[in-house]
Amino acid sequence: MAAEIVNPRSDAGTHGADEPFDPAFALHRGGKMAVQATVPVRDKDDLSLAYTPGVAKVCSAIAEQPELVHDYTWTSNVVAVVTDGTAVLGLGDIGPSASLPVMEGKAILFKQFGGVDAVPLALATTSVDEIVETVKRLAPSFGGVNLEDISAPRCFEIEKRLQEELDIPVFHDDQHGTAIVTLAALRNAAKLTGRTLGELRAVISGAGAAGVAIAKFLLEAGIGDVAVADRKGVVSRDRDDLTPVKRELAELTNKAGISGSLESALAGADVFIGVSGGTVPEPAVASMAPDAFVFAMANPSPEVHPDVAHKYAAVVATGRSDFPNQINNVLAFPGIFAGALQVRASRITEGMKIAAAEALAAVVGDELSASYVIPSPFDERVAPAVTAAVAAAARAEGVARR
């Protein structure tokens, strides 16, 4: 007989018993994941192999040949999902404990879409030095590190230092996962309209983790020009209020030398990419070039509502699952880590990320249309395609160790 479902909100002590049932709370009760054994322990013989005395032989072998840890423990297929809870979804700085439901969700997506085990690690510190040191000390237990929901600009330094000091893949998904999926969708949008990336001028709204990473990645991929706008306008060399990260961005981007507001930068632009929230006025969207692309990815409210964007744009994408062309990181990170772990890559290179974007774009194939420039997260072709492309790129770039 099925167990009675109790109102998950009322028994928390802060909500009345007459409040309506909330399925989100019911689904999360007790957490969304658990540890499961891969070997049986049915009797004393099983116990003697899985634990003492049998385990001692394996430990001794690893002590003599440290590389054997990848063959005889779980490290070859497990990722640490690390956060400090300072930039969680659209909720902001809610702290490590409140971030755990998101980190658990990330972990089950790793497993479902990439076959990769993942462990949520919410750290009770926002110190860059302490986060770096903690992850370094935990690293022997993992084959890779996925940094998640750590606020900018600290996220840039944390990732950079860990990449330099560890010999396993370290990947900040808020930056690079978003950039990879964006590039894949943009490649297909350009193909659909008979253009190349080199012919496009893009404007990005948001100079945080995602905005900075997308800008750099699009330049790496060969886009014609890209300008990035923060709350004070376009990031340009003539501004004297830029952080070190934005100063670097000003040197790399905005070949056209645009200054002023986001709205003014959109005049004649081919691409709008929103990763900031807020609302872009309709006249600014209308001022974009013919056959423009609008990728308004803020959740739950896109910077440009699709109903408005479709009046002026040839291709419209959002971060939402209830509209076509969802730019969703789950299209990238499971396959990227699966590919990197498969070949025991020491890091994730730019070439591996480009390969992931190209493989993701190629999944669409002949089905390409204005409402289908990026595949669904539930398309079973996605993870294998990305995994294979990333593994091949790792071997080609000399970072694979098997």
Side-chain angles (χ1 to χ4, degrees), residues 223-315:
I223 197 166
D225 194 12
V226 57
V228 182
D230 61 12
R231 291 183 180 88
K232 296 182 179 179
V234 175
V235 174
S236 56
R237 295 180 183 181
D238 59 355
R239 283 179 50 179
D240 59 6
D241 59 347
L242 300 179
T243 64
V245 170
K246 292 180 183 179
R247 280 200 298 272
E248 179 192 9
L249 196 63
E251 293 297 322
L252 296 172
T253 62
N254 195 14
K255 297 176 187 175
I258 298 169
S259 59
S261 67
L262 167 71
E263 290 81 3
S264 63
L266 281 175
D270 303 289
V271 186
F272 168 76
I273 297 171
V275 283
S276 64
T279 300
V280 177
E282 184 171 342
V285 181
S287 74
M288 294 178 69
D291 290 329
F293 312 141
V294 172
F295 292 2
M297 298 187 285
N299 263 317
S301 301
E303 294 89 348
V304 183
H305 192 278
D307 291 344
V308 173
H310 278 297
K311 295 180 184 179
Y312 311 102
V315 176

Side-chain angles (χ1 to χ4, degrees), residues 74-80 116-119 141-144 341:
W74 75 341
T75 56
S76 62
N77 197 53
V78 66
V79 170
V116 173
D117 291 310
V119 178
S141 295
F142 299 98
L341 293 174

Side-chain angles (χ1 to χ4, degrees), residues 145-394:
V145 176
N146 182 102
L147 300 174
E148 190 75 19
D149 292 350
I150 299 173
S151 63
R154 295 175 310 113
C155 61
F156 302 114
E157 181 180 355
I158 290 169
E159 183 189 49
K160 182 175 184 294
R161 286 175 55 181
L162 287 173
Q163 287 174 337
E164 292 171 348
E165 296 177 38
L166 295 177
D167 66 347
I168 58 175
V170 178
F171 183 84
H172 185 207
D173 187 48
D174 301 313
Q175 293 184 61
H176 311 299
T178 308
I180 288 164
V181 182
T182 300
L183 175 59
L186 190 57
R187 281 192 182 280
N188 277 339
K191 180 180 178 182
L192 181 68
T193 56
R195 288 176 283 179
T196 65
L197 286 179
E199 298 175 78
L200 303 178
R201 179 171 73 84
V203 177
I204 299 173
S205 175
V212 170
I214 291 169
K216 290 182 176 180
F217 197 51
L218 293 184
L219 289 171
E220 181 80 18
I223 197 166
D225 194 12
V226 57
V228 182
D230 61 12
R231 291 183 180 88
K232 296 182 179 179
V234 175
V235 174
S236 56
R237 295 180 183 181
D238 59 355
R239 283 179 50 179
D240 59 6
D241 59 347
L242 300 179
T243 64
V245 170
K246 292 180 183 179
R247 280 200 298 272
E248 179 192 9
L249 196 63
E251 293 297 322
L252 296 172
T253 62
N254 195 14
K255 297 176 187 175
I258 298 169
S259 59
S261 67
L262 167 71
E263 290 81 3
S264 63
L266 281 175
D270 303 289
V271 186
F272 168 76
I273 297 171
V275 283
S276 64
T279 300
V280 177
E282 184 171 342
V285 181
S287 74
M288 294 178 69
D291 290 329
F293 312 141
V294 172
F295 292 2
M297 298 187 285
N299 263 317
S301 301
E303 294 89 348
V304 183
H305 192 278
D307 291 344
V308 173
H310 278 297
K311 295 180 184 179
Y312 311 102
V315 176
V316 177
T318 71
R320 287 175 44 159
S321 60
D322 54 344
F323 293 112
N325 296 325
Q326 184 189 17
I327 307 293
N328 192 325
N329 288 22
V330 77
L331 289 162
F333 69 81
I336 288 169
F337 270 99
L341 293 174
Q342 186 180 95
V343 298
R344 276 196 54 221
S346 57
R347 59 194 175 95
I348 295 172
T349 65
E350 289 300 304
M352 292 161 72
K353 291 186 284 185
I354 292 285
E358 291 176 347
L360 184 54
V363 169
V364 172
D366 294 338
E367 301 169 72
L368 180 63
S369 70
S371 60
Y372 187 56
V373 297
I374 198 76
S376 161
F378 296 98
D379 188 324
E380 295 181 355
R381 300 171 295 174
V382 167
V386 174
T387 298
V390 168

